[in-house]
């Protein structure tokens, strides 16, 4: 079978997210980058599906040229092929594309790959990107390809020409049974992603990178600026140091009515 | 040019989040001097019409179709798209829940229209005019960063961030109208096929007390003392992503942007540094007590209360003190 997994490169901020002076981007001067967590699990899932059922997996990203790092990560844990849609090759900043433009470009790129190499049986996305969180690119791509799509998936089983996909709801678990080819949006927790081995990391350097110039029609949502959230001023009451603080903690529990 | 609210329900049981979308829609409708209508999908939802009227719906459009007997993102999205074509609303609003965002994205894809999700403020200038500017503040990074953006589209498709707009009553006329749709049989491919109901009980998102553990706990076994403390207090154990990544606990226990949002009376965060992605999942807690060796840790400086020290000594001491007082009482 053929599985495609679409990932996004995002910064990994610590205690606070700082923004650049012009308000157009997260200040990444001192930050590392990572694969958006839901997609990290989607990559792991793609590799497991190919390990179990045979075939070939491909990772695709639309982003700055540096997003090659995230494709190499995918390759280091076992993805076979990498496709990069660089959005900064025209000298632009590589800032986010709006969700309509992004899905348009990804849909077109997938159609091109499928025309050359054959259709993907399953395309995986993350439930939403960690940074912009627009919750729609995977759904728009699925619609562009006329394929069934369910988001929020925490369990995937293949069989009988289709895929059983589980997702959590407030009251329990919902099961969807989709015919293939299909598209699924995956949530963190579907699996525990492996760490790349040294051998995997070395091998990933040799995986060919297929570069496709992205083109998508600009959509109706346009960012003006990023804005910091208001931080609630807090003063921390230190109840004590070490185990000697236990009585003060239990006094607090009593005060809060939690010591029934 | 009404403001149309897409009603979220599960086989007829109304999602409270819908009433937040109703409140947001009423505000936009007031700016545009227009009315609010609601769209219910599936006959099971007919009964919620009166609640929608109490929350400001002047019209409730009811769609009946066999394919809408249970939830299905494609069938629901297609029904919303057809309703938009038929009713030509100025805007369509849903709450930014899993289903709300999913259905609106399906509808937006079908309409070839923009969709702005998780809006916190919606401003419309030059009201009533076709040149009106829509300026929106929306949540990014699970709510730890905001984005101001413009929305240019013939119909404005929006979801509002859950828990931002407060539900309130404001009677509307509530006239009920049937709305016909045509759904092709193949849309059944993404309708819920089976479900497994969860046993009722305290969950991470509803627990009144959460004892959270981070990398500082050091191992899966290290959580035993946190389990014990949670046990004596009738609370549950949560954790950070460092813990789930290490395989010490299941992801269902993870608090944060890509885990669960908690809102207990007290969150006891033990050996957790308080990265922004963890904090957004914990910040709705009424009180936070941090237990950490590092007095400068973000979790400590942001918390209401703190104990500076090794959690392996502090946590058992708290449990013992509770037992001691209970034995005396
Ligand atoms: C896009 C994205 C999404 C993310 N989503 C989430 C999420 O949903 N939830 C989440 O939690 N994280 C999330 N993260 C990860 C997050 O950035 C942090 O890496 C993570 O929260 C750190 O976990 P921690 O606080 O347990 O570990 P650390 O940051 O390593 O902190 C350990 C803390 O324990 C203290 N400590 C050590 N030993 C002891 C001891 N013996 N006694 C007391 N204190 C001790 C230390 O002083 C320190 O403060 C996300 C990251 C990204 C990039």
């Amino acid at each position: 079978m053929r599985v495609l997994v679409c990932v996004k490169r995002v910064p990994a901020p610590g205690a606070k997210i700082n923004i650049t002076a012009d308000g157009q981007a997260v200040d990444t001067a001192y930050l590392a980058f990572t694969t958006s967590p839901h997609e990290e699990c989607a990559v792991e899932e793609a590799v497991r599906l190919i390990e179990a059922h045979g075939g070939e997996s491909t990772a695709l990203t639309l982003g700055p040229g540096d997003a090659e790092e995230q494709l190499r990560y995918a390759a280091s844990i076992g993805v076979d092929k990498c496709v990069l849609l660089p959005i900064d090759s025209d000298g632009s900043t590589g800032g986010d594309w709006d969700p309509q433009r992004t899905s348009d470009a990804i849909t077109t790129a997938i159609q091109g790959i499928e025309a050359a190499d054959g259709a993907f049986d399953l395309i995986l996305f993350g439930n939403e990107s960690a940074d912009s969180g627009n919750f729609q690119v995977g759904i728009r791509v699925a619609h562009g390809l006329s394929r069934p799509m369910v988001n929020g998936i925490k369990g995937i089983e293949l069989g009988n020409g289709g895929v059983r996909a589980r997702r959590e709801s407030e009251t329990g678990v919902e099961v969807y049974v989709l015919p293939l080819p299909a598209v699924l949006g995956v949530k963190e927790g579907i699996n525990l992603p492996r760490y790349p081995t040294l051998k995997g990391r070395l091998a990933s350097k040799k995986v060919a990178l297929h570069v496709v110039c992205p083109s998508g029609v600009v959509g109706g949502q346009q960012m003006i600026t990023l804005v910091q959230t208001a931080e609630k001023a807090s003063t921390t009451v230190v109840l004590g140091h070490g185990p000697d603080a236990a009585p003060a903690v239990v006094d607090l529990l009593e005060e809060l009515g939690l010591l029934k | 040019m009404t403001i149309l609210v897409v009603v979220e329900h599960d086989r007829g049981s109304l999602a409270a989040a819908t009433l937040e979308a109703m409140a947001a829609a009423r505000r936009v409708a007031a700016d545009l001097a227009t009315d609010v209508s609601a769209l219910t999908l599936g006959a099971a939802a007919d009964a919620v019409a009166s609640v929608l009227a109490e929350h400001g719906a002047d019209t409730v459009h009811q769609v009946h179709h066999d394919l809408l007997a249970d939830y299905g993102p494609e069938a629901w999205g297609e029904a919303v798209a057809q309703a938009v074509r038929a009713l030509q609303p100025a805007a369509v609003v849903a709450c930014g829940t899993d289903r709300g965002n999913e259905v609106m994205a399906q509808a937006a894809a079908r309409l070839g229209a923009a969709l702005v999700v998780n809006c916190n403020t919606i401003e419309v200038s030059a009201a009533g005019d076709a040149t009106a500017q829509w300026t929106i503040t929306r949540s990014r990074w699970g709510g730890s960063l905001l984005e101001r953006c413009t929305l240019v589209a013939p119909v404005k498709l929006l979801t509002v961030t859950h828990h931002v707009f407060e539900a309130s009553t404001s009677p509307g006329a509530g006239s009920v109208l049937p709305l016909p749709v045509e759904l092709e049989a193949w849309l059944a491919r993404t309708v819920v096929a089976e479900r497994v109901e969860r046993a009722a009980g305290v969950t991470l998102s509803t627990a009144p007390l959460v004892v959270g553990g981070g990398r500082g706990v050091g191992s899966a076994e290290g959580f035993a003392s946190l389990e014990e403390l949670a046990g004596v207090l009738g609370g549950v154990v949560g954790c950070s992503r460092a813990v789930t990544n290490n395989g010490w606990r299941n992801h269902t226990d993870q608090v944060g942007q890509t885990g669960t949002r908690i809102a207990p009376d007290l969150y006891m965060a033990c050996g957790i540094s308080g990265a922004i992605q963890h904090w957004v999942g914990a910040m709705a807690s009424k009180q936070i007590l941090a237990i950490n060796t590092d007095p400068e840790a973000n979790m400590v400086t942001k918390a209401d209360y703190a104990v500076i020290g090794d959690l392996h000594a502090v946590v058992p001491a708290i449990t013992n003190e509770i037992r001691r007082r209970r034995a005396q009482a």
Side-chain angles (χ1 to χ4, degrees):
Chain A
M1 74 177 308
R2 285 166 50 75
V3 179
L4 175 71
V5 54
C6 298
V7 305
K8 186 173 184 187
R9 171 183 174 85
V10 299
K16 191 169 180 238
I17 302 177
N18 294 309
I19 53 186
T20 54
D22 66 2
Q24 293 303 299
V26 170
D27 184 354
T28 55
Y30 303 103
L31 296 182
F33 287 82
T34 182
T35 303
S36 195
H38 296 312
E39 290 127 60
E40 219 174 276
C41 292
V43 170
E44 172 69 29
E45 199 64 20
V47 172
R48 288 189 192 184
L49 286 168
I50 298 305
E51 284 170 349
H53 301 277
E56 184 183 80
S57 57
T58 304
L60 177 151
T61 192
L62 178 141
D66 288 343
E68 179 181 339
E69 182 189 345
Q70 280 57 51
L71 294 175
R72 296 285 171 207
Y73 157 79
S76 75
I77 72 160
V79 162
D80 303 298
K81 287 185 170 175
C82 294
V83 182
L84 175 67
L85 311 182
I87 59 174
D88 55 0
S89 52
D90 59 354
S92 62
T93 60
D96 257 358
W97 279 17
D98 73 72
Q100 284 169 287
R101 189 178 183 194
T102 303
S103 29
D104 192 16
I106 294 177
T107 306
T108 306
I110 293 174
Q111 285 166 334
I113 298 165
E114 292 192 329
D117 301 340
F120 292 108
D121 301 287
L122 191 61
I123 301 177
L124 302 179
F125 283 84
N127 187 65
E128 87 279 1
S129 61
D131 57 349
S132 44
N134 286 305
F135 288 83
Q136 56 190 275
V137 167
I139 293 168
R140 286 185 190 271
V141 171
H143 184 256
L145 298 170
S146 305
R147 290 182 199 171
M149 157 58 159
V150 182
N151 216 16
I153 296 306
K154 280 206 169 175
I156 295 176
E157 267 170 66
L158 290 172
N160 300 328
V163 54
R164 284 172 64 86
R166 281 186 291 119
R167 92 169 180 197
E168 286 166 6
S169 73
E170 275 178 27
T171 53
V173 175
E174 296 166 350
V175 181
Y176 297 84
V177 182
L178 292 75
L180 295 176
V183 184
L184 296 172
V186 164
K187 264 196 182 173
E188 188 179 56
I190 187 173
N191 56 39
L192 184 58
R194 73 195 72 182
Y195 288 103
T197 59
L198 183 62
K199 192 167 152 249
R201 260 189 259 145
L202 290 173
S204 75
K205 298 209 171 86
K206 298 200 194 81
V207 171
L209 186 71
H210 180 42
V211 180
V212 179
C213 185
S215 95
V217 179
V218 172
Q221 173 185 344
Q222 291 304 322
M223 185 175 95
I224 306 168
T225 181
L226 296 175
V227 184
Q228 213 98 54
T229 47
E231 250 187 72
K232 110 169 187 261
S234 70
T235 43
T236 311
V237 178
V238 176
L239 297 175
H241 289 73
D244 294 347
V249 173
V250 181
D251 288 347
L252 174 69
L253 291 169
E254 243 164 18
E255 211 176 284
L256 297 176
L258 292 166
L259 208 66
K260 278 150 270 162
Chain B
M1 291 287 271
T2 186
I3 309 298
L4 183 67
V5 172
V6 176
V7 175
E8 182 178 338
H9 68 92
D10 190 47
R11 292 158 289 163
S13 143
L14 181 68
T18 292
L19 303 178
E20 298 171 19
M22 290 294 302
R26 287 208 314 269
R27 271 201 225 170
V28 176
D31 284 349
L32 287 170
T34 185
D35 63 349
V36 172
S37 25
L39 176 70
T40 58
L41 304 178
D46 285 1
V48 306
S50 58
V51 182
L52 298 170
E54 281 163 26
H55 285 79
D58 293 301
T59 313
V60 179
H61 300 278
Q62 295 179 335
V63 178
H64 290 179
H65 196 288
D66 288 350
L67 274 176
L68 301 170
D70 203 338
Y71 177 72
E74 290 185 295
W76 279 49
E78 176 61 27
V80 171
Q82 290 185 24
V84 169
R85 289 196 193 101
L87 303 170
Q88 304 273 321
V92 186
V93 185
C95 192
T97 56
D98 285 350
R99 283 190 180 183
N101 283 334
E102 183 176 43
V103 169
M104 291 297 281
Q106 283 285 355
R110 289 172 156 74
L111 294 164
L115 161 68
V116 183
V117 304
N118 295 335
C119 303
N120 297 8
T121 67
I122 302 158
E123 296 153 46
V124 190
S125 73
D129 187 323
T131 64
Q133 290 271 337
W134 290 60
T135 312
I136 290 163
T137 309
R138 60 176 297 269
S139 287
R140 287 185 161 229
W141 282 100
S144 30
L145 192 66
L146 302 172
E147 166 188 350
R148 277 186 70 73
C149 65
T150 52
L151 172 56
V152 179
V155 183
K156 275 56 179 189
L157 303 181
L158 309 162
T159 70
V160 292
T161 308
H162 198 8
H163 302 306
V164 165
F165 291 86
E166 205 172 326
S168 60
T169 55
S170 165
S175 26
V176 171
L177 288 175
L179 183 78
V181 297
E182 278 174 36
L183 301 178
E184 296 190 56
W186 55 261
L187 287 164
R189 67 190 185 177
T190 51
V191 173
V192 175
E194 295 159 29
R195 35 167 70 76
V196 188
E197 305 289 339
R198 192 184 300 117
V202 190
T203 64
L204 191 53
S205 58
T206 59
L209 183 126
V210 177
V211 181
R215 197 192 305 276
V217 177
S219 64
E221 300 72 44
F223 273 88
S225 66
L226 277 69
E227 290 279 3
E228 210 178 341
L229 177 57
V232 298
L233 290 168
V236 302
V237 169
C239 70
S240 73
R241 185 163 180 254
V243 169
T244 43
N245 275 353
N246 277 320
W248 298 344
R249 291 193 79 85
N250 202 295
H251 183 271
T252 44
D253 292 347
Q254 183 176 313
V255 172
Q257 183 182 337
T258 51
T260 300
R261 310 282 170 126
I262 60 169
D265 294 328
L266 180 67
Y267 179 42
M268 303 173 83
C270 313
I272 296 176
S273 65
I276 186 84
Q277 304 89 356
H278 185 83
W279 179 258
V280 287
M283 65 187 184
S285 307
K286 292 200 188 71
Q287 306 282 339
I288 296 178
L289 164 66
I291 301 174
N292 203 303
T293 43
D294 177 8
E296 303 298 322
N298 197 49
M299 201 76 213
V300 173
T301 57
K302 278 185 164 172
D304 303 285
Y305 303 94
V307 173
I308 309 304
D310 183 349
L311 70 93
H312 300 289
V314 177
V315 171
I318 297 170
T319 310
N320 287 342
E321 176 67 11
I322 294 167
R323 293 213 169 106
R324 196 186 63 80
R325 290 198 197 178
R326 282 191 179 148
Q328 278 181 353

